[in-house]
Each structure stands twice: as structure tokens, then as C-alpha cells.
Amino acid sequence: MSQSQQSPATATFLGVPELLDMVFAFVSQDTLRKTVILVCRNWFFLNRQRVSRELSWDFKWFADDPAKALKRLPGAGRLVWKCDHYCKDAWPKLIKSLKGVEKRRLHPSPKWKKMWPHGVVQGDDNPIFNQANNLQFRIFSPLRQVELFSDYNLSDESLNLLAFPPTLTTLKIFRYSFSTFDVGRIFAICPYLEVLHAGSRDVLNLQGPWTSQELSTVPETLPLRSLVLDSAKLSQSWLECLVSRTPLLKELKIINLSSPSGSFWDWSSLFHHLRSQPFTLNRFHYSVHGEIPSEDDLDDMLYALCPNGSERTLWSYNLLPGIVRSLTEQPSVLTNLDILRHHLTRCHADGWKEGEHFYSSTPLHRLLCESPSLRHLKSLKVPYLIEHMDIHRRIKTAYESMFPDPDVGREVPTFHPGVWVCRGLQILRIQVHSHGGYDLRGVENRDMLLGFLSRTLFSYISKVTPQLRDLCIEEPYSCSVFPGRFSYRSYLSEHLFGGLPLLSSLQYLERLRVEFEGISCGISQLNWILSAGRSMQDKNNRRAIISKWENQLEREGQMEAIRLQGIHPSPLSGGRLHDVKLLEDLQHTGLLREVKTRIEAIDSDNSQCFSSLLKLSLSRELERSPERSMDSIFPPSPAKKTMWSLFST
Ligand SMILES: *[C@@H]1O[C@H](CO)[C@@H](O)[C@H](O)[C@H]1NC(C)=O
Ligand SMILES: *[C@@H]1O[C@H](CO)[C@@H](O)[C@H](O)[C@H]1NC(C)=O
Ligand SMILES: CC(=O)N[C@H]1CO[C@H](CO)[C@@H](O)[C@@H]1O
């Protein structure tokens, strides 16, 4: 903007750094990073302390060399590192880089002191950072957040020697394997730690009481606000000792606990201990591995410590009638509901099986559709059956047309699909199941049936929860409703007929993650997500694909006729049935026709498609910018497809 174009009012306003500073305080990180700091030198310097850079790396990004990525570690405010298979070489590099950052913090070169006079100095001797003019325009902040996902290849020994800087405020560690974690050391070296989440898919053995460090090196009071331990093995006395040093604690979740041999957990004494502490918890969860508490105890665990809490975490098998009632009747507004589910739970008819204990998915479904207290839900994490979303029973009709004779000896449940009441939902993390099925192995029209499931899900979410900011859809590792048969789950299709384009009407969506099993389609079936993927060539490719749907659309029409002849066996579930507009929107849910219309709209010249999307992941990898995410699925040049691609699919 040139000087002469500015009106006097804006010119003065833009010239007052204090005012600008106040304005920038309300601007989101992303806008600051992507727009504001690029405007001019002044705006850059005004915001340099405010924006923070993130470094993320996933072993699946085989085209991105970890060593090269780590050159950006000095000065990054947040590090997210994910390594499971084939990471033998990546961990040592990270370990070394963290050490390097810490060393430079302690012994900064004079140049760095000049660059970063107030904050914690972090430098790098590598040539990229040595170009002084570059340096000045880099965003540097102390490392405050670290998230690590790891398997065996990070040994316990290395894990417990990682050089975390004292500036750390958030540490999240999730391991896929058995691990022993020295928590006492973390508190000793990171005195500003506010958030600690640690978990394992197996067991996370927390050394206690104060581990390798002397108790005296751990501060008397810790600024910890959030402590989440998942599948940890620890003793009650250790935890009690810890929380008596955390007067600011707001969130305490101890999920699937186990105790070291010779000790056990006792709910009522823990309860009294927590009750006697100065803090008031907003979020609380407590569950012990292998114990199913009585309904009274459960009620206590849910409400006694934070009666007015707006956030609840519980296991899906804990949704007993009394608990469902209490969730419905609780006086406070429920904003976050987190339903936990074991990653290896077995599937059956309309629910799941935990050990010898069967439970149904229906109480949760009814809660979501009928409970007025869930109307204000902002965040929901659930396992859920797509059949509950089949409001026009198109999936059911399709199954029945394909399998006229019911499977002998198999229970086929009756579902009561319905519409959720939580229409203002902003965060949804859903693990989708389909249990109404038949054995689809070798069935000729398998794709057609799976298309119905996939489209029903995407259509339902896009219509029922239009306010979503953050959506993550995952599938269980395995899910078979046939006794004795192991089957990999996969109901979702990334092909156009799977209906992913329906999600593009979510105009506020910033993060999208769909864990497709593998991507086998061509690029034009997915790159409509990016504006660069709407070239003439891509549009033509899509048009060609849609033109082959002719027969299927015709079959669909016939099936609709059959469906409309049938009398609905049971009514829809839910309190949303008076919402005529919504029901109208949902009219074509599951139909290929709806997808066709949507794709045509996306490819028309002035369509809005994912206008707010910042992060994307369509395979099981960390989210990154939509462009880079697409590049990692479809590497731009064939040369980049290395040996790794053989392993990663
Ligand atoms: C919870 O809410 C009820 C009624 O709204 C109120 O009487 C009570 O004091 C609150 N309890 C706490 C711990 O805030
Ligand atoms: C719970 O912890 C046990 C070990 O104590 C572990 O085997 C199991 O996988 C954990 N369950 C979940 C759901 O994480
Ligand atoms: C040290 C260690 O556990 N290395 C493992 C790293 O991961 C590969 C692939 O999964 C294993 O083969 C190694 O044993």
C-alpha cells in the first residue's frame, strides 16, 4: 500500500506501534505467520516474539531427510517427531540435535547474543543460519513444546537421556511399545513444565518415586496444569506425592492404570487425597486396567471431584443406563466428551466386546441424538457405527439386495439411525465402524457397498456438524463381526465415489485428517482439495470418471425405488426431527448422485472448497500443509519415490 493511498486515519493508526501491537494480539498464529509478518519489516519485528515456528517430521515422509529437517530445530518453538518403523537412523539424529540446541543455549556465540538479547539464545553453526541478513529475518523462539511418537527404536536409555531444554512448557510422549520413563528427571530439568502427557499402547512404566534424580532436585512446587497418563504403571503413593506439589493442577487423567507388583490402587483413598489438595480440577479421569467399577463408584469418579465440569472422559463400556441418565441430567453445560476405546477391542453385532463383557453402541448413539445437555458440545471423540448415520436406510437396503438370505447363525441388529443434537461441534475425532455387514470377501459388488458406507459418513458429517474446525476420521485396526475370522477394517474409500468431496462444504474446517488404508487412486481423484488441482486437465479427468458412473447411478435409482416401497421398520432416533431444513439437506445422504453434484460444483468456476483448510493428512501420517500433504501422497517427480515407498504402503 503506498503512502498516498492511505486515508489519514489508517495512516496514523498504522504508525502507532502500541496500537498495532494490541491489534496483533488478537490475530491467530496462522494469520500472523502467513500474512502479517510478511507485510513489512516493522510488522515482522513487532510480531517476531509472538509467532512461533513448528518443526514436524514423520518417518513416512520418506522424501524428507530427517537430518535436513533438523537444521530447522534451532529457534523452533514446537517440535513434533514421529518415528515408528525404519527409524534406526532418525532417532540418533534427533538426540544429537536436541543436545546441540541445549549446548548453544548454554554457550551462545556473541553474534547470537546480539540477535537475541532478551530471550533464551539458540543458535546454529550451520551455514544456512550463518548468513547474517537471513538470520535477522528468522523466527526464533525457545523450544516450548515437544511431542514425540516412538516405538522400540528409541531405547529407554535414549529416551531418558533426551536433552529437553528448561524452557519446555509442554511435553507429550506416546510410545507404541513397552517403555520405562523417568518422569522425575523431566520435572527436574524442565521447571516450567505445565503440560505432561505420557502414554503407551502397551505399558508405560513410570519409575518412582523420584527415580534417578534425587528428590531434592525436583522443585517443591511444580507449575504443572495438566497431567495425562495413559496405560501407565505407577504406584498410588507416587502419584499422591506428585500432586501434592502441583497446586495449579486443572486436568488429571489417569487412564488404564496398573500398579507395580505388591501394590494396588484404592479409589476412595485417592479421592480423599485429591479432595484435600488446594487445586480444583476441571477435567478428571481415573480407570484401572481390568477393573470394571460399580455404577456408584463410576458415578463418583465422574462427578465427585468436578461436579460442574464441562468436560468428561469415559470408556465406551462405562455408558451404563445410570451414567447415560446422569450425563443427560447434569446441570452444567457439557462442552467436551471423550469416549475412550481400546485399540484391540473386539467387535460384535451392534457393539463391542471387552474381555467377556459385551456392550452396545446404542446408549452413546441415543445420548448424541436425544440428550439436550449435549447440544452445546464443542469437542467429541468417539467410536461410532456408520449404521447409526444411515438415516434413509440406504446401506441396509443395499446389503439386503445383495444378501437376500440372512447369514445363518449371525445376529443382525436393528439400528435406529438418528441426527446428533450437537450441531455446533467444532472438533470431531471419530473412529468409524460398520457392524451391520455381511462377509464381503470375494463379493463382486463390494466396492458399491463400501461406497454407500463411505458416502453416508462424509455426507452426514458435512450436513449435521457444519461448524467443524478440526476433523479426524480413523478406522479400527481390525474389526470382524464374524467369530473366528480376522478381518482388516476398511470402509472408507479415497476414490471419488467414496464421497470425500462432500466434506468440502465444511467452510470453517482448518484441519482434516482421514486415515485411509492406502491410496490407490490417481491424483485427480484427490487434488480437487487444492486450487492448483482444479486445472482444466484435472477437471477433465474427473469428468471422465463421473461419466463411467452411468450404470451405477441407474442401479442406485432402482434401489431407491425398492427402498421407498419398503415400510420403515422403526422411527428415526432424535430430537432434531422437527428441523425440516436439516432433514432436507440430508435427503441424498449415501447416494452417488449427491457426490456427482458436489464434484461438479467444486469444478465449476467460482466454487468455494475448503477455504479455511490449513492442515491435511489423508494417510496415517502427521498433518502438514495441504500442498505438501498432496506431494507426499503423489511425489511430484518419480525420482523421489525411493525404496521407502515399498515399505510404507
Ligand atoms: C456447581 O453448580 C451448582 C449449581 O449451579 C452450585 O450450587 C455449586 O456451588 C457448584 N459447585 C462448584 C464446586 O462449583
Ligand atoms: C491397558 O494396560 C494394559 C497393561 O496394563 C495393556 O496391556 C492394555 O493394552 C492397555 N489397554 C489400553 C486400552 O490401552
Ligand atoms: C534397536 C531396535 O529396536 N531396532 C529396531 C528398529 O526397527 C526395525 C524395524 O521395525 C527393527 O527391525 C529393529 O530391530
Side-chain angles (χ1 to χ4, degrees):
M1 172 167 21
S2 81
Q3 211 60 36
S4 59
Q5 282 168 323
Q6 288 174 6
S7 71
T10 47
T12 3
F13 165 70
L14 289 173
V16 184
E18 289 77 9
L19 279 180
L20 274 174
D21 208 44
M22 278 166 74
V23 173
F24 291 143
F26 290 95
V27 177
S28 76
Q29 271 283 325
D30 281 301
T31 314
L32 287 177
R33 219 179 1 223
K34 288 200 164 159
T35 322
V36 175
I37 58 171
L38 304 178
V39 170
C40 63
R41 217 184 142 84
N42 265 350
W43 285 28
F44 173 82
F45 285 110
L46 269 173
N47 285 293
R48 189 155 80 155
Q49 305 272 1
R50 202 171 271 133
V51 289
S52 124
R53 202 154 50 71
E54 173 177 321
L55 165 63
S56 54
W57 188 80
D58 189 322
F59 76 101
K60 289 198 171 174
W61 301 343
F62 46 83
D64 293 18
D65 177 46
K68 214 161 124 198
L70 282 167
K71 292 192 172 147
R72 296 176 49 239
L73 181 62
R78 184 178 139 101
L79 166 71
V80 185
W81 195 262
K82 187 175 176 195
C83 237
D84 43 17
H85 301 300
Y86 316 109
C87 277
K88 256 200 280 292
D89 301 331
W91 281 118
K93 289 184 178 126
L94 175 68
I95 292 166
K96 196 167 150 229
S97 296
L98 279 171
K99 253 193 217 136
V101 166
E102 184 54 10
K103 211 167 90 201
R104 273 177 220 106
R105 192 187 62 82
L106 294 171
H107 310 287
S109 66
K111 185 176 70 203
W112 285 98
K113 278 201 195 115
K114 217 166 77 203
M115 277 304 309
W116 201 247
H118 311 299
V120 184
V121 185
Q122 289 175 341
D124 197 299
D125 295 332
N126 119 16
I128 298 184
F129 296 89
N130 268 341
Q131 299 159 8
N133 38 0
N134 246 350
L135 203 63
Q136 203 181 3
F137 288 99
R138 281 194 165 256
I139 294 166
F140 282 93
S141 56
L143 186 59
R144 293 208 175 85
Q145 302 186 13
V146 171
E147 288 183 34
L148 299 178
F149 302 84
S150 77
D151 76 341
Y152 295 100
N153 272 315
L154 177 65
S155 67
D156 283 353
E157 198 188 2
S158 306
L159 171 71
N160 291 317
L161 285 174
L162 279 175
F164 295 120
T167 49
L168 216 59
T169 56
T170 298
L171 177 62
K172 298 185 181 176
I173 289 186
F174 193 82
R175 308 216 61 184
Y176 304 115
S177 49
F178 176 86
S179 176
T180 294
F181 182 41
D182 186 347
V183 187
R185 171 178 168 267
I186 300 294
F187 290 128
I189 62 173
C190 308
Y192 302 109
L193 201 67
E194 292 178 5
V195 176
L196 177 65
H197 296 184
S200 166
R201 196 173 268 182
D202 193 332
V203 177
L204 188 74
N205 191 14
L206 296 187
Q207 291 177 8
W210 293 103
T211 73
S212 59
Q213 302 285 323
E214 290 299 313
L215 183 56
S216 58
T217 64
V218 175
E220 257 331 295
T221 57
L222 300 167
L224 202 64
R225 291 173 175 276
S226 167
L227 177 66
V228 177
L229 300 173
D230 187 350
S231 302
K233 184 191 263 188
L234 71 165
S235 71
Q236 183 167 340
S237 55
W238 185 88
L239 186 84
E240 290 184 355
C241 173
L242 174 63
V243 297
S244 57
R245 295 180 180 212
T246 58
L248 304 177
L249 201 64
K250 289 279 169 225
E251 173 175 37
L252 176 64
K253 290 187 190 171
I254 26 180
I255 301 163
N256 188 40
L257 271 170
S258 55
S259 37
S261 61
S263 67
F264 64 94
W265 282 81
D266 175 50
W267 162 243
S268 82
S269 74
L270 178 70
F271 171 69
H272 288 293
H273 182 81
L274 293 174
R275 194 60 175 270
S276 68
Q277 300 303 313
F279 50 71
T280 320
L281 295 174
N282 294 337
R283 291 176 228 165
F284 176 74
H285 174 90
Y286 168 85
S287 56
V288 180
H289 175 58
E291 275 180 24
I292 297 195
S294 69
E295 207 163 320
D296 279 350
D297 275 351
L298 204 54
D299 205 71
D300 237 27
M301 291 167 192
L302 266 177
Y303 303 109
L305 280 166
C306 27
N308 295 354
S310 57
E311 313 192 7
R312 306 279 174 212
T313 302
L314 66 165
W315 288 93
S316 36
Y317 54 80
N318 287 155
L319 283 162
L320 304 166
I323 300 297
V324 170
R325 199 176 326 116
S326 68
L327 281 173
T328 304
E329 289 167 0
Q330 69 161 349
S332 61
V333 173
L334 196 62
T335 58
N336 294 44
L337 183 62
D338 193 350
I339 305 291
L340 304 168
R341 182 187 166 274
H342 195 312
H343 58 277
L344 289 179
T345 310
R346 306 241 302 279
C347 299
H348 86 100
D350 81 330
W352 295 284
K353 185 170 182 244
E354 191 78 44
E356 288 311 300
H357 175 69
F358 288 93
Y359 57 97
S360 159
S361 62
T362 302
L364 173 63
H365 168 62
R366 297 191 60 144
L367 190 69
L368 286 171
C369 296
E370 292 170 15
S371 168
S373 63
L374 265 68
R375 222 174 354 206
H376 303 286
L377 218 53
K378 290 276 175 280
S379 165
L380 174 66
K381 296 181 185 157
V382 279
Y384 202 71
L385 265 59
I386 302 180
E387 281 83 356
H388 290 309
M389 298 174 164
D390 184 21
I391 48 174
H392 298 292
R393 293 166 171 92
R394 293 193 170 107
I395 298 175
K396 187 173 184 296
T397 314
Y399 272 129
E400 284 171 0
S401 75
M402 222 180 273
F403 301 92
D405 306 313
D407 232 13
V408 199
R410 197 173 89 72
E411 188 189 340
V412 180
T414 306
F415 294 101
H416 299 263
V419 180
W420 297 349
V421 292
C422 47
R423 302 217 46 217
L425 208 61
Q426 297 189 352
I427 300 170
L428 173 63
R429 185 181 187 125
I430 186 169
Q431 188 190 59
V432 293
H433 288 248
S434 163
H435 297 181
Y438 294 77
D439 193 351
L440 294 180
R441 285 176 306 173
V443 172
E444 191 193 336
N445 292 319
R446 185 172 184 270
D447 274 358
M448 190 197 83
L449 200 49
L450 294 180
F452 268 108
L453 285 168
S454 194
R455 290 190 295 267
T456 300
L457 172 76
F458 293 135
S459 175
Y460 186 95
I461 291 177
S462 66
K463 308 280 167 25
V464 174
T465 51
Q467 302 287 326
L468 283 181
R469 266 60 170 173
D470 187 341
L471 171 62
C472 171
I473 300 175
E474 35 176 67
E475 294 190 80
Y477 174 64
S478 78
C479 178
S480 173
V481 288
F482 305 102
R485 278 184 232 163
F486 182 80
S487 80
Y488 286 99
R489 78 291 177 266
S490 192
Y491 319 114
L492 302 183
S493 174
E494 80 285 12
H495 289 248
L496 285 177
F497 73 78
L500 187 69
L502 297 170
L503 290 182
S504 67
S505 65
L506 293 169
Q507 55 175 315
Y508 307 109
L509 200 67
E510 292 168 4
R511 314 179 80 93
L512 173 64
R513 181 182 173 89
V514 186
E515 297 191 344
F516 288 118
E517 171 59 22
I519 300 226
S520 63
C521 66
I523 187 166
S524 48
Q525 304 219 33
L526 282 175
N527 67 1
W528 50 267
I529 294 175
L530 313 175
S531 50
R534 279 171 246 147
S535 68
M536 217 41 185
Q537 175 73 48
D538 292 305
K539 288 179 186 178
N540 287 340
N541 289 348
R542 283 190 282 274
R543 220 167 286 143
I545 291 166
I546 294 177
S547 69
K548 293 194 192 120
W549 289 356
E550 209 62 24
N551 284 342
Q552 220 178 321
L553 288 168
E554 200 176 307
R555 285 261 314 261
E556 186 178 270
Q558 292 160 357
M559 215 121 84
E560 277 296 279
I562 300 174
R563 186 182 65 86
L564 292 172
Q565 280 162 14
I567 295 163
H568 285 173
S570 46
L572 281 179
S573 175
R576 275 274 156 202
L577 301 176
H578 58 275
D579 193 336
V580 180
K581 167 82 177 62
L582 175 62
L583 291 183
E584 217 174 271
D585 280 352
L586 285 164
Q587 216 173 357
H588 302 295
T589 292
L591 293 181
L592 192 59
R593 185 150 43 111
E594 186 182 38
V595 183
K596 178 172 183 265
T597 313
R598 185 71 212 164
I599 297 169
E600 284 164 356
I602 291 173
D603 280 342
S604 75
D605 285 339
N606 44 12
S607 73
Q608 286 284 318
C609 171
F610 284 138
S611 43
S612 313
L613 197 67
L614 299 170
K615 298 272 179 172
L616 176 71
S617 165
L618 296 177
S619 54
R620 307 163 142 250
E621 58 176 32
L622 292 176
E623 295 155 44
R624 55 204 321 207
S625 75
E627 292 77 17
R628 300 191 70 202
S629 168
M630 203 59 71
D631 280 353
S632 75
I633 301 171
F634 303 103
S637 85
K640 284 208 178 154
K641 238 183 152 87
T642 63
M643 281 272 288
W644 293 112
S645 57
L646 299 175
F647 297 120
S648 70
T649 46

